[in-house]
Amino acid sequence: MTRRDAIIIGGGIHGCSTALHLCLRGLRPVLIEKDYAGRHASGVNAGGVRQLMRDLAEIPLSIRSMGIWEGIDELLHDDCAFDSHGQILVAETAEDLRMCEERVATLNHHGFTHEELIPVQEVRDLLPAVAETCTGGVISRRDGAAQPARTTTAFRRRAEQLGAQVIEGARAQNVRREGGLWRVDIAGDSFEAPVLVIAAGAWGGEFAAQMGEPVRMQAVAPMLMITSRVPHFIDPVVILRSRKLSFKQFPNGTVLIGGGHLGSADLASNRTILDWRKLHESARTVFDLFEVMREATIVRAWAGIEGKMVDDLPVLGPSTRHKGLFYQFGFSLHGFQLGPGAGAVMAELIADGRTPTDISGLSMARFHPQT
């Protein structure tokens, strides 16, 4: 039996970020990943570093995380290809624009100013190739994008350099609490620690159920496509108000198309199945909005496996039932940007018993209020 300060189950950006931030506080965790770090959602998402259009409950965490993103090179000794050309929500109709106005007014009422309403002319100045039907939009100027697999690997590598033990290709088994400690078996070894963090992504719900705290979550497969190269026409990341779409152009001219259309996910086999009709819908939306894309071809498409909560908000924080147990999963297709901040918050909860970042709306207690 090997003793550690904390056991983390799950090697996505959240588990790796928590491992790193615990090391920064002088603790020595072990991270257990059944595949390899970034194998699922954290390594194959669109890489959006987005504060834009967050639920009010996760805006404080998103703002905290953005501050870390802006110093990511210093933290990880790798800039993770992070750029901050902003993200723009494009309104296509008068109704879209009205809802954008209401959104910004609501945020301002709560004291948040990172989203700005911009008129149609500024949208066209920033996106010269946008369709003439555009009516305006909302911008979050500090937002941007990074390379997800590179970022997750950088967190894992830096955590290892600072003392974390990372075990890949090993499934956590027989999770239990004995003698005041959490114990986990893997093939050929066992670990014990006073703290257990479930950061297992789409598999997090299975562990939570084993702990007597089931949640309403489903495994989904968000789909992405990459196109052939087209002339440079866009710097910010673009999302739409009324249709499922997000996309960005890389320096080599290729365009990444996402936006939330889902394929099918099989947790038992680690497999995803693409829905080509929905992929066609995503491609058609881009072609409608930007004429320059109409000659592009789709080079490849893929999907990762992710956990989608019934309310589209993650579970982040302590268990309602067990001492030393913490949850960090269910980020519902928008957890990449939150990863650095969530790891910092989790380390504070473990080391200090509190965090200055308001995560009250993300608690497991919303599913188990009686405990």
Side-chain angles (χ1 to χ4, degrees), residues 34 50 62 102 126 160 163-164 171 197 202 208 210 229 289 341 350:
K34 69 181 182 63
R50 173 179 65 84
S62 183
E102 291 180 355
L126 294 167
E160 286 182 297
R171 188 179 294 271
V197 180
Q210 292 173 21
R229 299 181 183 187
L289 197 63
I350 292 168

Side-chain angles (χ1 to χ4, degrees), residues 8-16 31-34 36-39 42 152 156 168 199-200:
I8 303 167
I9 298 177
I13 189 171
H14 286 274
C16 291
L31 184 149
I32 301 169
E33 165 55 46
K34 69 181 182 63
Y36 57 84
R39 164 65 177 84
S42 292
T152 304
R156 186 211 69 205
E168 296 175 299

Side-chain angles (χ1 to χ4, degrees), residues 275-332:
D275 185 324
W276 294 100
R277 288 186 176 87
K278 291 180 181 177
L279 286 173
H280 177 268
E281 183 179 339
S282 292
R284 175 56 60 189
T285 301
V286 175
F287 297 166
D288 288 346
L289 197 63
F290 289 96
E291 187 174 350
V292 67
M293 291 297 298
R294 293 176 186 173
E295 300 302 318
T297 57
I298 303 301
V299 175
R300 66 186 179 95
W302 68 94
I305 299 179
E306 186 148 359
K308 187 176 187 298
M309 306 297 290
V310 67
D311 57 3
D312 286 331
L313 292 174
V315 176
L316 181 64
S319 164
T320 62
R321 294 173 58 93
H322 304 287
K323 183 178 180 180
L325 174 61
F326 297 84
Y327 295 112
Q328 188 177 355
F329 69 89
F331 284 85
S332 304

